[in-house]
Amino acid sequence: MTIDALDGRLLVLFSEQPQIGVLGASRELGVARGTVQARLDRLVERGVIRSWSPQLDPAAMGYPVSAFCTLEIRQGRGHSPVVEHLSGIPEVLEAHTITGSGDLFIHIVARDNADLQRVIDAVVDDEHVIRANTAISLATRIPLRTLPLVEAAAQAAPRTASRH
């Protein structure tokens, strides 16, 4: 399940110009419109492209404070009750099961530091959460990115004839 050079070029193009459309991409890449559509369909089917929705910036929406919490949860019931609780808190952007001293790692946002305390209080307001350790992000040095992976995967893929 690798991507080839054409898949890579297609992913880079749609990442840089999300409104280009299939026809525009076919012109830009010099391949048939049907090839672009087939490639996009295959990338969606394989889960490489997860969404066509816009990327949103929480800070621009009034949530400039970003923090990461490691949660220790009560053992015996699994992660599901806590994940269900966290899913009801809009400021919880993502949650990951982790190894190490904690059980869950979550990314949260808030309007300011006082609001961050409110969010943390909501996070730990579950009988299954034993402890939370929070670190406030002062600056994002490398934002979430996937294009370097796309380029590396496309370069590492075996050279094959363009497949429809």
Side-chain angles (χ1 to χ4, degrees):
M1 289 259 206
T2 60
I3 62 171
D4 64 16
L6 181 56
D7 289 337
R9 291 174 47 217
L10 191 58
L11 291 167
V12 168
L13 180 62
F14 271 91
S15 294
E16 292 175 348
Q17 300 177 52
Q19 296 176 325
I20 194 167
V22 173
L23 182 59
S26 71
R27 288 179 179 153
E28 181 80 20
L29 297 174
V31 297
R33 182 190 174 286
T35 299
V36 170
Q37 188 64 60
R39 292 293 186 112
L40 289 174
D41 290 345
R42 191 168 23 250
L43 290 166
V44 168
E45 181 180 302
R46 288 178 32 210
V48 174
I49 297 175
R50 292 188 305 189
S51 172
W52 293 103
S53 63
Q55 293 181 7
L56 306 176
D57 183 355
M61 295 188 307
Y63 295 86
V65 177
S66 181
F68 299 89
C69 297
T70 302
L71 303 181
E72 185 179 328
I73 63 173
R74 198 169 313 287
Q75 301 301 306
R77 300 255 341 258
H79 292 77
S80 296
V82 178
V83 171
E84 185 176 328
H85 167 71
L86 295 172
S87 295
I89 303 170
E91 296 86 357
V92 175
L93 301 184
E94 47 183 333
H96 304 270
T97 299
I98 60 170
T99 61
S101 61
D103 299 301
L104 288 171
F105 187 72
I106 65 172
H107 180 192
I108 60 177
V109 293
R111 295 186 182 281
D112 54 35
N113 285 351
D115 191 44
L116 178 61
Q117 183 62 61
R118 178 194 60 80
V119 174
I120 294 168
D121 288 347
V123 165
V124 299
D125 188 22
D126 182 276
E127 65 180 328
H128 301 97
V129 176
I130 298 170
R131 180 174 296 110
N133 184 359
T134 305
I136 297 173
S137 173
L138 298 177
T140 300
R141 300 298 182 182
I142 300 175
L144 177 62
R145 62 194 185 131
T146 53
L147 286 183
L149 282 177
V150 168
E151 293 163 351
Q155 288 175 357
R159 298 278 181 210
T160 60
S162 178
R163 57 186 159 94
H164 164 242

